[in-house]
Amino acid sequence: MNVHDSEKMAGILSETGYMRTDVTNDADVIVLNTCSIRDKAEQKFYSELGRLNKIKKNRPNLKIAVAGCIAQQKGEILFNKFPYVDYVLGPNNIDSLQEWISSRAQNKEHRSQTTALQINPEYHTKTLPVRREGRVRAWVSIMYGCDNYCAYCVVPYTRGRERSRSSHDIKTELIKLAKDGFKEVTFLGQNVNSYGKNLLEDSSFSSLLKALHEVDGIDRIRFVTSHPKDLSEKLIKTMKELPKVCNHIHLPLQAGSDKVLSLMNRKYIFGEYMEKVTMLKQAIPDIAITSDIIVGFPGEDDADFNMTINALDEIQYDGIFAFKYSKRPDTKALDLPDHINESTKSARLKKVLKLQEEITFGKNKRLEGKVLKVLVEGPSNSDKSRLTGRTGNNKIVNFYGDEKDIGQFVNINILQARQHSLFGEKV
Ligand code: SF4
């Protein structure tokens, strides 16, 4: 979500005549797009801001804007603590960047130290320019905000209540992406399964998928994130029926204990989650399932934690993102009793990651010798002499190929499994 927001900010800056630079010292405007999902990300932002302050001392005309969830939460406080910040905009006000930049560029009104923090109820009706990374896969926002109020999460407070974009606007964006040569799209939303709740048109996520499946030129459709409570049998059936919808779902479990799930306000119990996993595996046998796990949530005792370990063992995810619970301002979990100490959280995280590494590697290993269809994205980040791409079920595959393979589907014989990727040769 944040990466795509950054693409929108880059799109606005490009349209206003700014060019991207990778050299911080060359920049006239720097926008820091922040994330406050965990304390670590927030601390990283503050240290980056300190670094920019040093640059600004030598170049006083440099303008610094802070965007994203920390901007939304802290607002004016950022000006008081960091007087060298010029502009603060929340995730619902990305379009305001255009006005701020234009007024600066034309020198009509020097709007230093202003904020744009209203949660704009019409934000989802706007189509912003986007400067996309890559030319094969594209992110497309289908909804904003969240109504779920999980006890550990700041998103409903920083991004506001759930609002869906109209299917017409999304389809128009997809048609343009197809014209521009993109082959794969990933629909973004905090909870894509509840798409359409606020719309007057009769729309569910299943019907949206069916409508967008018709767009010629788009060959693969992904979506993220799915809330388990809203994953319906109808949606699973739609995933099975539509060939362009990839065989992968990110379905955050968070914890294996019903007690912890209830404290987290996740609105499902482990048994219900497992029923959906079983349904998915029966409908789409080669589906890859990935998840998010939080360890050390307040009140999680050893028995609760072991239920998470057992869940990983039983479900056999293809991959997970696992984190230690992190205290976040304004969230309900702050007031819960029995916060877990850091060393216990670290030990639990280590155990979860070790188990999942074994599972992921075992799954990758079973793909050796198989021929997989890969959509080629471009040179690999770790080794520019190789190309990288993904299978439908989201396995990263690296191989030696030609420039002309980029944007094409190629068949790759898997020679070697690695922890987070596969290596193979073109067939
Ligand atoms: S579903 Fe829960 S974790 Fe996800 S964005 Fe909404 S409140 Fe946060």
Side-chain angles (χ1 to χ4, degrees):
M1 188 77 66
N2 252 27
V3 174
H4 188 42
D5 282 349
S6 295
E7 288 183 333
K8 291 175 189 166
M9 291 178 213
I12 290 172
L13 291 170
S14 294
E15 285 217 337
T16 327
Y18 283 82
M19 271 169 18
R20 180 187 163 140
T21 173
D22 291 327
V23 183
T24 315
N25 275 311
D26 288 350
D28 297 315
V29 174
I30 295 176
V31 184
L32 289 177
N33 189 17
T34 61
C35 168
S36 66
I37 203 96
R38 270 169 277 283
D39 186 55
K40 203 171 163 186
E42 192 166 333
Q43 296 315 319
K44 213 168 143 191
F45 154 67
Y46 290 128
S47 80
E48 183 60 19
L49 210 47
R51 197 172 75 85
L52 295 186
N53 183 26
K54 285 184 196 141
I55 296 175
K56 188 157 174 167
K57 276 185 182 147
N58 292 326
R59 298 182 53 224
N61 289 334
L62 169 68
K63 293 292 163 197
I64 299 173
V66 179
C69 288
I70 298 177
Q72 185 68 43
Q73 278 189 313
K74 303 287 179 195
E76 298 277 340
I77 296 171
L78 286 172
F79 291 146
N80 301 335
K81 280 180 87 172
F82 310 101
Y84 50 92
V85 169
D86 297 285
Y87 190 46
V88 173
L89 66 154
N92 276 277
N93 292 279
I94 291 174
D95 49 326
S96 75
L97 199 55
Q98 190 148 23
E99 195 196 335
W100 178 65
I101 283 292
S102 302
S103 57
R104 281 199 59 246
Q106 293 164 21
N107 233 353
K108 279 183 191 155
E109 180 194 3
H110 189 76
R111 289 163 58 103
S112 192
Q113 295 224 333
T114 55
T115 60
L117 298 168
Q118 296 295 321
I119 296 203
N120 178 356
E122 298 305 317
Y123 181 66
H124 64 291
T125 61
K126 299 178 184 230
T127 300
L128 301 180
V130 183
R131 188 183 186 282
R132 297 183 187 275
E133 300 293 330
R135 53 191 168 101
V136 180
R137 307 167 70 216
W139 305 101
V140 176
S141 300
I142 62 164
M143 60 200 295
Y144 299 103
C146 183
D147 285 348
N148 286 315
Y149 292 93
C150 298
Y152 49 84
C153 181
V154 296
V155 166
Y157 308 100
T158 57
R159 291 187 179 259
R161 305 300 299 259
E162 199 175 286
R163 286 100 64 217
S164 301
R165 290 179 72 198
S166 76
S167 56
H168 173 268
D169 288 355
I170 301 170
K171 195 166 185 174
T172 305
E173 187 170 342
L174 240 61
I175 292 168
K176 179 166 186 322
L177 285 169
K179 266 195 203 139
D180 291 345
F182 287 90
K183 295 253 170 76
E184 180 179 310
V185 289
T186 302
F187 298 141
L188 292 177
Q190 308 295 343
N191 178 14
V192 290
N193 307 153
S194 69
Y195 171 84
K197 258 180 11 194
N198 66 304
L199 293 173
L200 293 176
E201 59 185 273
D202 175 25
S203 195
S204 65
F205 187 50
S206 291
S207 45
L208 180 76
L209 283 178
K210 283 180 189 157
L212 301 179
H213 198 265
E214 291 166 8
V215 176
D216 286 335
I218 298 296
D219 296 321
R220 273 186 179 174
I221 295 173
R222 302 183 189 276
F223 50 85
V224 67
T225 292
S226 296
H227 194 299
K229 78 175 164 57
D230 295 311
L231 175 64
S232 64
E233 209 171 336
K234 182 177 160 200
L235 177 56
I236 295 173
K237 196 164 165 266
T238 305
M239 288 174 70
K240 180 189 162 103
E241 283 169 3
L242 300 179
K244 291 183 184 176
V245 174
C246 290
N247 293 350
H248 169 228
I249 189 164
H250 187 68
L251 196 64
L253 169 65
Q254 307 298 9
S257 148
D258 290 345
K259 180 189 97 187
V260 175
L261 288 172
S262 166
L263 288 169
M264 287 176 165
N265 193 29
R266 289 291 289 173
K267 304 185 184 91
Y268 54 84
I269 57 171
F270 180 65
E272 288 165 341
Y273 182 95
M274 273 313 293
E275 274 173 27
K276 301 202 175 179
V277 167
T278 306
M279 256 193 275
L280 280 163
K281 287 183 176 176
Q282 277 171 355
I284 310 163
D286 67 337
I287 192 163
I289 306 177
T290 53
S291 189
D292 296 334
I293 298 289
I294 295 173
V295 298
F297 190 75
E300 181 192 70
D301 59 25
D302 285 345
D304 294 316
F305 173 66
N306 282 334
M307 289 183 210
T308 298
I309 290 291
N310 293 342
L312 296 183
D313 221 11
E314 185 176 353
I315 296 165
Q316 297 279 303
Y317 288 115
D318 290 75
I320 60 167
F321 296 104
F323 305 97
K324 293 188 271 188
Y325 164 73
S326 174
K327 288 182 180 173
R328 300 287 64 216
D330 303 329
T331 57
K332 294 235 164 62
L334 274 183
D335 300 327
L336 288 174
D338 304 321
H339 279 254
I340 311 294
N341 65 54
E342 271 310 301
S343 66
T344 304
K345 283 198 259 184
S346 299
R348 287 180 182 170
L349 180 63
K350 205 169 157 193
K351 197 166 171 188
V352 159
L353 291 175
K354 184 170 178 297
L355 172 60
Q356 186 57 45
E357 273 182 14
E358 286 163 14
I359 294 170
T360 303
F361 187 64
K363 288 197 149 203
N364 285 351
K365 198 84 188 140
R366 287 197 283 282
L367 295 172
E368 284 180 357
K370 295 213 159 58
V371 174
L372 305 179
K373 188 175 167 189
V374 171
L375 176 58
V376 185
E377 293 165 19
S380 153
N381 279 338
S382 56
D383 178 351
K384 297 284 177 210
S385 67
R386 294 185 312 193
L387 294 177
T388 191
R390 263 162 229 263
T391 64
N393 59 7
N394 214 31
K395 305 282 177 195
I396 294 172
V397 179
N398 298 310
F399 66 102
Y400 291 103
D402 306 320
E403 173 88 23
K404 64 178 169 37
D405 292 328
I406 297 172
Q408 304 300 317
F409 286 95
V410 294
N411 288 322
I412 302 290
N413 178 26
I414 303 303
L415 299 173
Q416 193 187 17
R418 297 184 178 158
Q419 186 59 53
H420 300 292
S421 63
L422 304 164
F423 177 75
E425 64 184 3
K426 239 165 94 174
V427 176

